[in-house]
């Protein structure tokens, strides 16, 4: 987890570059899909993703494709620097707890980057949407 931001900053441009070089049409904003997190061991497994308008088949070993199935979720919007993401996730979890909503343990957890450094250098204007799957 301590290396997440560094790794994500490498992976996001790589997947974006792949999409652009292969003339893929984007169907939305880039996002991170969290597969597994383990704070006790400082570990996280994630994918950087770009939604596309068509099914993609890749022969690149580092490019995996798939389809994200629809799911019910709690959505939280963070306006501001990515350094506030941990707090935004805590707010999301507190909201779910206060409403007796159960997180779907095998469900999707996503951060969608609606507006970021590519659109504005001012972190106060960055917008990230968090989606946490619920039962």
């Amino acid at each position: 987890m301590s290396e997440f931001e560094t790794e994500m900053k490498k992976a996001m441009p790589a997947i974006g570059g792949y999409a652009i070089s292969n003339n893929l049409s984007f169907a939305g904003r880039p996002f991170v899909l969290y597969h597994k997190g383990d704070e006790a061991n400082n570990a996280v497994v994630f994918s950087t993703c770009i939604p596309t308008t068509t099914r993609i088949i890749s022969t690149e070993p580092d490019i995996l494709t798939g389809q994200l199935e629809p799911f019910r979720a709690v959505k939280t919007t963070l306006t501001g620097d990515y350094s506030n993401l941990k707090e935004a996730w805590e707010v999301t979890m507190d909201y779910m707890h206060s409403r007796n909503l159960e997180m779907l343990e095998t469900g999707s957890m996503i951060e969608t980057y609606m507006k970021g450094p590519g659109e504005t250098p001012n972190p106060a204007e960055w917008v990230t949407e968090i989606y946490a799957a619920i039962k």
Side-chain angles (χ1 to χ4, degrees), residues 10-26 30 48-52 54-66:
K10 288 191 279 187
M12 195 61 79
I15 192 72
Y18 175 85
I20 291 168
S21 67
N22 287 279
N23 298 316
L24 302 178
S25 297
F26 290 33
T48 53
C49 309
I50 294 180
T52 58
T54 58
R55 183 172 182 231
I56 307 303
I57 297 174
S58 172
T59 57
E60 299 280 330
D62 293 336
I63 304 294
L64 304 176
T65 63

Side-chain angles (χ1 to χ4, degrees), residues 30-106:
F31 62 95
V32 166
L33 174 62
Y34 292 95
H35 301 284
K36 198 185 303 186
D38 182 353
E39 282 193 60
N41 291 305
N42 192 35
V44 63
V45 178
F46 69 95
S47 295
T48 53
C49 309
I50 294 180
T52 58
T53 57
T54 58
R55 183 172 182 231
I56 307 303
I57 297 174
S58 172
T59 57
E60 299 280 330
D62 293 336
I63 304 294
L64 304 176
T65 63
Q67 181 171 333
L68 185 62
E69 296 298 328
F71 60 96
R72 291 184 56 211
V74 168
K75 175 184 172 185
T76 304
T77 302
L78 167 66
T79 301
D81 195 291
Y82 299 143
S83 63
N84 297 309
L85 278 167
K86 183 176 180 180
E87 181 182 352
W89 277 104
E90 289 170 359
V91 168
T92 303
M93 297 304 158
D94 288 347
Y95 175 86
M96 290 175 19
H97 180 72
S98 72
R99 303 291 191 285
N100 293 320
L101 299 171
E102 289 185 60
M103 185 169 68
L104 188 59
E105 293 299 325
T106 59

